[in-house]
Every structure is written in C-alpha cells, then in structure tokens.
Amino acid sequence: MKRVFFPIVLVLSLIVIFFSCSSKSTKRPRKPVSSISIEPSKNQFVYGEKITAEVQTQLKDGEIKSIDLLYESETLKSTKELSFKVENIELNKLGSTKLVANAEKTDGLKNTRTKIITVVSDVEPQQMSYQVVNNYPHLKTSYTQGLEVYNGYLYEGTGENGHSKLMKVDIQTGKPVQSIDLEDKYFGEGITILNNKIYQLTYRAKKGFVYDLESFTKVDSFQFASEQGWGLTNDGTNLIMSDGTHVITWLDPTDFSVIKKIQVADDKNLMANLNELEYIDGIIYANIYTTNLIVKIDASTGKILEEIDLSGIIDLYHRNGERIDYLNGIAYDKQTDRIFVTGKLYPRLFEVKFVEKN
C-alpha cells in the first residue's frame, strides 16, 4: 500500500502545480472602463444648450493608447489622459443623442461607454386652427392611410387587411376612376408619387410596392428596415417615411437605402405617432395619430414650428352610430395652392386654410 500511495500523491501534486502555474500564466488582461458624467445634470436638454462632459477611465493593467470622446460621431477630444473634461459642447441635434467614450489600450483591448441625452426644440410651436374653404364627398369605406393630389386627381391609399387599396379619385364626386387591391395579407399605409411612379408602404410586413402612375401596374417592391410603415411623402428627390415613432427617414427611391434620419420634437417632448405626411417647400406636415393635430415640421432640423388643431372638422357630417376613425390624410395641390385633409372612414374631404388660433 505504501508503494502505491506515494506515486499517486506525487502525481496529484504535480497536476495541482501545473494548473496553478497555467492559470497564472494565462491570466487575461483587463479592459479599460470609462464613465461619462454631464453638467448640468438633468433629464432633458434644449437644442443649442451647452454642456460639460467629464470622462474618467479605470485602468487595471497595461497602458492606455487613446481615449476618444465623441458627440453624434464627431470627435470632441482624443487623449491618453485617464480623467479629462470637455466644456461648451453645443447640443445641435434633436432627440435621443449620445456621447460616446472609446478607450483603447496599447495591447489592443477596447471598451466603449455611451451616455444618452434627450434634446428638445428651442422653438415654442405656434398654435394654429383652420378654416374650411370647401368640402367634397369621400368614400366612407376608405380607411385613409395615404393621400396625395396630382394633376387634378386625388390619389388615396387605404388600410385594413382585406380592404387595402390604391385609388385614383375624382375630387368633385369622391368616386374612384382607377383602383387596385392589395393582397389580403397586406395592410396598406402611406403613398406618394415621384418620377411617374406611385410608392405605397404596408404596416407590419416591412414591405412597400411601386406602381406605374398611368396603368397602376405593380412594377417593383422593396423592403425597409423600420418595424412598421406609416406615412410617406417625397421632397422631389427622395422618399420620406414615418414609422409611428418620433423618427422620419429619407429613402433613396431606386435602391431604398437610408439617406438620412431626423428626430422630431417640440419644446417639451419628442413627438411620436407621426402618421400621414405631406412635404411642402421644406416643411413636413404630419398627422399625430389618435389626435386632431397636424404638426408643421422643419425638414432640416425636426423642430415643430406649428401645431394645427382640427378639432370639430367632421362634427357637422358625422351622425351618431356611424363609424369613423381618426383624422388622417394631408394632400397639397401645387397647381392651385390648395390643401386637403380627411380622416379614416370620413364621409367628407375638406379643403382648408390654416390660420392663427384666436
């Protein structure tokens, strides 16, 4: 027994020593860990406001190669200092913006820390109302999702699975002169006309369709990255879409790649539920879903310039018990400088002027 016991003890001891040494020799180097603090410290900032950011980095081992502080992808400072401040950072982007600290060691190990900052507009929106100039028949069965006027006709995209359509409508009579149905599995959303083509979004399929303007023949389809499709318009060059959030996205009309995005806010909050859109001379008009509001948005900054309250516009034309849904649909006739609005299942289409609220 003694002869057997000694070799076993020796082997076990060697194994323990081996793994102990191995463990020490393969100890992993540690990543640098940064933190970002902001002064003034608050939950929300105003466009144009200036802040000070302090970055502190813990380094357990090795040497630092660089620490970069970025605001919205713009490098504010690059240094080897473990603790530093950057003052007078001007917040010049609306919405959820971010400061990012990227720390890298000489051995190649990197780490990133992000600080999200909410920035609202520095403009208090002007409060507006409306005047009805004229009104026309509108199909009560149309769950309006997209609206556009082109060459004297109203083009309308409607929603609801099994009832979604694209229509060309006579404004005076409200009757379709041309129509195409979507497959039942698609819930139609916003539409716009660009370069003799009609573009139409769908709700949750992350898919859109392209039609020939004259024949309504479907000539193409496309995918988009947003989880949902809502409103659609164009600036004469690119498509502009909303997705139910506070973000508006520009898309290339040929390959549907993202050109740019803006975030929309008033002087108090980010403005979500942006729905049907209309672009007029550098301004985007948007329905705010579930409300009677249309907001007027600066297309370059995302700032809301006006809030237009259309409460009561359907009251004289709506009978008790009749089904109507929310205000939705804005169309601009460039040839006659007229603006039209309607709603989901509304029996009338309204020509309106926007006026200051008394």
Side-chain angles (χ1 to χ4, degrees), residues 290-338:
T290 76
T291 77
N292 289 313
L293 288 180
I294 290 174
V295 293
K296 182 178 174 181
I297 304 162
D298 184 326
S300 62
T301 66
K303 297 178 184 181
I304 294 177
L305 307 178
E306 296 178 4
E307 294 179 349
I308 307 158
D309 186 355
L310 281 90
S311 295
I313 195 167
I314 194 62
D315 287 355
L316 293 177
Y317 304 94
H318 171 50
R319 298 176 182 175
N320 289 334
E322 282 185 333
R323 184 192 172 202
I324 62 167
D325 208 290
Y326 296 108
L327 183 81
N328 199 48
I330 314 160
Y332 177 61
D333 187 350
K334 294 179 183 179
Q335 294 177 343
T336 60
D337 192 31
R338 294 186 296 170

Side-chain angles (χ1 to χ4, degrees), residues 63-110:
E63 295 182 10
I64 203 74
K65 179 181 178 182
S66 66
I67 303 170
D68 299 331
L69 179 66
L70 300 89
Y71 173 59
E72 289 296 296
S73 301
E74 178 186 350
T75 301
L76 302 177
K77 185 169 183 175
S78 182
T79 182
K80 291 183 178 181
E81 300 174 49
L82 296 181
S83 180
F84 64 89
K85 288 184 178 181
V86 178
E87 298 179 335
N88 295 318
I89 303 169
E90 184 174 349
L91 303 177
N92 54 13
K93 295 286 179 66
L94 284 190
S96 295
T97 62
K98 59 186 179 182
L99 286 167
V100 177
N102 292 323
E104 182 179 1
K105 289 167 49 181
T106 54
D107 61 8
L109 277 181
K110 302 176 183 179

